[in-house]
Amino acid sequence: MSGITIHKKDIKKGLSLPVMEHFFSIQGEGFHSGKAFYFIRIAGCDVGCSWCDVKESWEIENHPVYDIHQILKFITNSKVNRVVITGGEPLMYYLDPLCIKLAKKGILTHIETSGSHPISGIWDWFTLSPKKRKLPNEESYQKANELKIIISRLNDLKFAESQASKVSKDCKLFLQPEWSKSHLILPIIIKYVKDNPKWNISLQIHKFMNIL
Ligand code: SF4
């Protein structure tokens, strides 16, 4: 019997979660770029972006399952009291139990999500990164503190505008070049942001620093 089968009930209740990797690093994207965070990359994603740079996260069975006490310990053993929960697609799971534990320890909770699943958890910062293959739900647009659109071709700028029209007026807006096409698309994004200054550029600075 696989680990995932044994843990199925606990995963459903949000008491255990499959984790592809966890590490202490620098946030490289978006509004909180440059700050140290602990990162929990939850395994499993049903969105399937062709340019995904963490395809190895998609298959849940390939990754260990940790109970949320262990996950909490990873973070409290680090030097920061803030965590980014990312994936995969973290909202495939019920995240209330984990977030309640984090809040009790005074840990700030950030999430990065496609917004394509119902929201669970309690979030100090909600980064919405919509994907064309599986659009966000209404609740996610309302909740977003930050909208991050990956740009791999010109046409994605139209998608970015359509998504920006759905978030609140306080939501921070970011365009991020798709890494493998960055050299081609970045000049277009730079011009677009100069013409449309409500947008900001997000650059995945962790990749320039050659860190996780
Ligand atoms: S939503 Fe994120 S993890 Fe899932 S396929 Fe797209 S880029 Fe990859």
Side-chain angles (χ1 to χ4, degrees), residues 40-185:
I40 305 286
R41 187 182 302 287
I42 298 185
C45 184
D46 59 0
V47 180
C49 308
S50 58
W51 41 258
C52 178
D53 59 358
V54 280
K55 285 187 173 140
E56 59 279 33
S57 71
W58 292 3
E59 291 304 322
I60 299 165
E61 285 77 8
N62 296 343
H63 301 286
V65 174
Y66 294 106
D67 83 30
I68 56 175
H69 299 97
Q70 285 171 288
I71 294 174
L72 181 68
K73 260 193 195 159
F74 295 146
I75 304 157
T76 54
N77 285 344
S78 78
K79 288 185 181 157
V80 284
N81 67 342
R82 51 190 181 217
V83 63
V84 176
I85 306 292
T86 186
E89 174 41 69
L91 287 179
M92 283 171 60
Y93 303 94
Y94 179 56
L95 297 177
D96 281 8
L98 174 64
C99 287
I100 289 166
K101 285 208 169 298
L102 293 168
K104 275 187 187 157
K105 289 278 181 192
I107 295 167
L108 289 176
T109 55
H110 290 208
I111 187 166
E112 299 188 351
T113 173
S114 67
S116 58
H117 287 264
I119 297 176
S120 60
I122 305 143
W123 304 106
D124 295 299
W125 192 261
F126 193 97
T127 299
L128 178 64
S129 186
K131 305 297 184 312
K132 288 179 189 167
R133 289 176 62 94
K134 211 161 188 255
L135 289 172
N137 50 47
E138 229 12 79
E139 197 187 6
S140 294
Y141 288 121
Q142 296 314 313
K143 182 89 182 147
N145 300 109
E146 171 179 9
L147 179 74
K148 183 174 64 184
I149 308 288
I150 311 303
I151 306 294
S152 71
R153 49 196 169 135
L154 198 55
N155 195 34
D156 293 337
L157 292 167
K158 273 192 192 151
F159 177 66
E161 290 297 348
S162 76
Q163 298 304 290
S165 72
K166 298 182 181 220
V167 295
S168 76
K169 65 173 177 32
D170 297 329
C171 183
K172 316 284 182 205
L173 304 178
F174 287 88
L175 300 174
Q176 181 171 299
E178 195 269 293
W179 181 253
S180 70
K181 296 202 181 123
S182 205
H183 58 296
L184 295 174
I185 203 75

Side-chain angles (χ1 to χ4, degrees), residues 6-7 14 29 40 105 111 116 129 164 188 191 199 202 206:
I6 296 165
H7 293 290
E29 304 183 3
I40 305 286
K105 289 278 181 192
I111 187 166
S116 58
S129 186
I188 294 167
K191 180 172 184 327
W199 290 98
S202 170
H206 55 295

